[in-house]
Amino acid sequence: MATQRHCLAQLSRLCLSSTRAVSSPSAVRFLSTTAVCASRGKFAPKILSKKEKAGIASKGQNPQKNKKKDAPQKKRKARTTYKTYDLKDAEMFSLCDAMRYIRAFEVGRSPTSVKYEMALKLKSQKNGPVVRNRLRLPHPVRTDIRICVICPPDSKYAEQARAAGASLVGEEDIFEAVKDGRIEFDRCICQTDSLDKMNKAGLGRILGPRGLMPNTKLGTVVKDPAAVLKDMVGGAEYRERLGVVRMAIGQLGFTPEEMQKNIRTFIEAVKKDMAHLNDRINKELYEVVLSSTNAPGFPLNGEFISADSKITTRELSTS
Amino acid sequence: MVAVVRRMRKLRALLAIRLGPGAAVLPPEVTRIHMDFATDIHDGHYGPRAFWRNCLPRLKYHNPAVPMTVNRTINQTGPALMTVHFTSPEAAATIKTEISSTVDKQTSTGPVPESKAGPPTERTEVINMKHRHDSEILEQLLKLTKAKVVRPTAEEQREMQEMEEQNARSERDAAMMAEVNAKRKREEEILEQARGEVEAMQE
């Protein structure tokens, strides 16, 4: 019914406009109205003039519909990508300049405890896969990670793992310890043959929320734990959160050259990961920001040392 | 990630690290500055901490190669001293400060060694910082080392003024908003109270 009325309104409007154009209005109007009336039948409601119709509309036969048409659309479509800003006017720094500022901000602090941090902002969708991997920097930031290896304690894997620097090796005793709440490790690797035992032990509830649960997808369930262990000692994990990949990239005492090497390795690794994602997923590196424990974030422009720099890298290499 | 505008706004504070009290270039004879004071501010240890927070970053910015170390003890009644290490002008010209971690793989894959001074220290001067204001400490240090104070250029002065204006404006706006918020809160409170009274009467 509603659609029909709408249609009629249009028709009548057409008629009205045509009446103005034609010199003999009365005849035309008469003709057109009868035509319309005939098509509608005997008991159809009277055709209303524009003014009357407006009154009815405001009274609201269907207020919801009327409102929607008049008011500007309030509900916008939720954005599917993370917001990116125009960096045209943003101040950018060369690595050495940023390091000079950061070292000034961190003056008087222990060069081993203060860390440089790197944040890589990506152009990316809010949903879909994220960049996530493990990386061994040329100059590791942290070297005292405690690693737990789950494998039979008398196997050859256990021996190798101990030799490679694992702090905890075993099966049942580790499960017991974890269930008691004694988690004395920062990383956990599982040997493939012990996977079933571990799954039966039900550690997922305890280790899962801490991100310690071994998982084939993360590469922490392996045939040969010793090989992975070597990567892990001094290795670091990174993952994309809210479109940003963050990682500690160096200690305050590092020289600019060391930092450059670390940063280059990190960025290359992330780029490689982005390329390895699904074909349809298109991520792009958008901004590189260097920060530290107490300093603000410095966007980098990709240069190592700016052309008009008055300092040398040697000056930034002292503690 | 922190939004770009806010980050850039913060970066304008970098001007404050280039210029202000403590912005001075030390002569090459100064090889190292070390500060010793307590962690808490009581018993005259406020000045040293203020100096470390306010002046030392600027000094470090203008003298990136000079190691500046801070050692804070728990001993509140102990002394607050600044030790400035000097070397001879000849040594300063030839020997450079030792680098904190080397690029070759053998040494740099391990943890970075603690800071060490490069050229041999010929003499050390000690400044007593206890019960001193940070400006006094700075004055003494500048006099002792004969450092060249860095003055802002015209461009920088203009920028600083702009920043000051911006800060004043933001303060004014904050005061305005605080008033509005207080008013809104007051009204809400009155409404809440009225509602409570009505309920009490009904009971």
Side-chain angles (χ1 to χ4, degrees), chain B residues 168-184:
Chain B
R169 196 161 60 230
S170 82
E171 222 165 81
R172 212 172 53 223
D173 291 354
M176 208 163 72
M177 270 324 284
E179 210 171 276
V180 171
N181 284 339
K183 194 180 164 196
R184 185 177 50 80

Side-chain angles (χ1 to χ4, degrees), chain A residues 101 103-109, chain B residues 13-24 35 37 41 45-62 68 70 72 82 129 132-139 141-142:
Chain A
Y101 277 118
R103 284 158 59 85
F105 272 103
E106 303 281 4
V107 68
R109 298 188 192 271
Chain B
L14 295 180
L15 206 62
I17 214 168
R18 288 205 298 265
L19 304 160
M35 291 172 75
F37 57 92
I41 57 170
H45 284 278
Y46 179 73
R49 183 158 90 174
F51 181 82
W52 170 45
R53 293 268 159 88
N54 302 335
C55 304
L56 211 58
R58 297 199 186 97
L59 212 57
K60 180 72 177 174
Y61 178 80
H62 288 285
M68 295 175 192
V70 171
R72 301 211 284 165
M82 178 191 283
M129 302 189 290
R132 300 279 163 82
H133 197 255
D134 51 336
S135 59
E136 277 175 73
I137 299 168
L138 179 66
E139 207 175 293
L141 179 71
L142 293 184

Side-chain angles (χ1 to χ4, degrees), chain A:
Chain A
M1 187 65 202
T3 51
Q4 202 180 3
R5 184 166 293 141
H6 187 78
C7 203
L8 286 173
Q10 282 218 324
L11 258 177
S12 67
R13 203 169 296 149
L14 262 177
C15 300
L16 283 173
S17 64
S18 65
T19 54
R20 273 177 217 126
V22 184
S23 57
S24 62
S26 61
V28 175
R29 179 178 275 171
F30 178 77
L31 264 176
S32 66
T33 44
T34 48
V36 170
C37 280
S39 73
R40 295 171 80 214
K42 212 176 173 184
F43 298 106
K46 198 181 117 196
I47 288 175
L48 301 167
S49 76
K50 234 182 188 178
K51 229 180 209 168
E52 283 170 320
K53 219 173 260 168
I56 283 170
S58 66
K59 267 180 214 162
Q61 283 178 325
N62 192 351
Q64 281 289 324
K65 210 172 177 184
N66 289 326
K67 210 184 219 173
K68 234 180 206 175
K69 257 184 193 169
D70 297 337
Q73 282 193 334
K74 264 182 195 168
K75 209 173 176 188
R76 251 185 296 155
K77 221 177 180 184
R79 61 168 62 241
T80 54
T81 56
Y82 289 109
K83 210 180 211 173
T84 48
Y85 297 92
D86 190 8
L87 294 177
K88 215 167 43 193
D89 301 325
E91 213 175 334
M92 304 269 222
F93 296 83
S94 72
L95 177 63
C96 281
D97 286 347
M99 277 182 77
R100 186 180 180 186
Y101 277 118
I102 287 173
R103 284 158 59 85
F105 272 103
E106 303 281 4
V107 68
R109 298 188 192 271
S110 162
T112 50
S113 70
V114 169
K115 306 276 189 292
Y116 285 109
E117 286 163 21
M118 171 132 290
L120 302 180
K121 189 159 172 59
L122 311 177
K123 263 185 192 171
S124 121
Q125 295 258 313
K126 277 186 179 176
N127 55 4
V130 293
V131 172
R132 180 178 191 183
N133 209 341
R134 212 167 44 220
L135 167 73
R136 189 185 166 82
L137 290 171
H139 305 291
V141 179
R142 205 175 148 204
T143 47
D144 55 341
I145 296 176
R146 297 166 303 171
I147 296 170
C148 159
V149 176
I150 296 174
C151 65
D154 49 354
S155 63
K156 62 169 185 171
Y157 296 121
E159 251 173 64
Q160 286 170 356
R162 278 204 196 90
S167 59
L168 271 177
V169 180
E171 271 180 344
E172 259 78 34
D173 41 340
I174 290 180
F175 300 157
E176 286 301 311
V178 168
K179 276 177 189 164
D180 288 350
R182 285 180 287 126
I183 299 175
E184 291 160 340
F185 49 85
D186 307 317
R187 296 289 141 76
C188 191
I189 308 175
C190 184
Q191 213 274 326
T192 322
D193 302 338
S194 308
L195 186 63
D196 287 338
K197 264 189 194 171
M198 189 190 65
N199 286 340
K200 265 180 205 154
L203 301 182
R205 201 168 283 177
I206 307 158
L207 293 183
R210 289 162 218 251
L212 292 171
M213 191 69 185
N215 186 341
T216 325
K217 273 187 204 163
L218 300 179
T220 43
V221 175
V222 284
K223 267 248 161 63
D224 184 15
V228 179
L229 220 84
K230 268 180 203 152
D231 271 348
M232 261 193 183
V233 176
E237 278 179 28
Y238 60 84
R239 73 172 295 177
E240 177 190 342
R241 285 174 208 274
L242 298 175
V244 184
V245 187
R246 290 190 183 80
M247 198 168 84
I249 199 90
Q251 295 175 354
L252 189 70
F254 280 9
T255 63
E257 287 85 1
E258 287 169 340
M259 284 295 293
Q260 187 189 24
K261 235 189 234 175
N262 272 1
I263 291 171
R264 194 170 281 163
T265 313
F266 178 41
I267 291 178
E268 264 164 24
V270 170
K271 272 187 181 163
K272 208 192 267 172
D273 286 339
M274 287 195 289
H276 277 306
L277 286 175
N278 199 329
D279 286 342
R280 273 172 295 167
I281 307 296
N282 191 21
K283 291 191 191 239
E284 229 176 289
L285 189 61
Y286 175 66
E287 195 182 7
V288 181
V289 179
L290 184 69
S291 178
S292 80
T293 312
N294 302 301
F298 294 84
L300 299 183
N301 58 8
E303 281 177 38
F304 178 57
I305 190 162
S306 54
D308 56 343
S309 173
K310 283 172 202 123
I311 53 161
T312 61
T313 58
R314 183 73 177 71
E315 281 178 293
L316 288 174
S317 308
T318 61
S319 57

Side-chain angles (χ1 to χ4, degrees), chain B residues 174-201:
Chain B
M176 208 163 72
M177 270 324 284
E179 210 171 276
V180 171
N181 284 339
K183 194 180 164 196
R184 185 177 50 80
K185 215 169 186 184
R186 211 163 45 232
E187 275 169 9
E188 265 170 23
E189 255 168 38
I190 290 167
L191 266 178
E192 190 73 20
Q193 206 181 355
R195 260 185 226 126
E197 272 170 16
V198 165
E199 265 172 34
M201 273 167 72

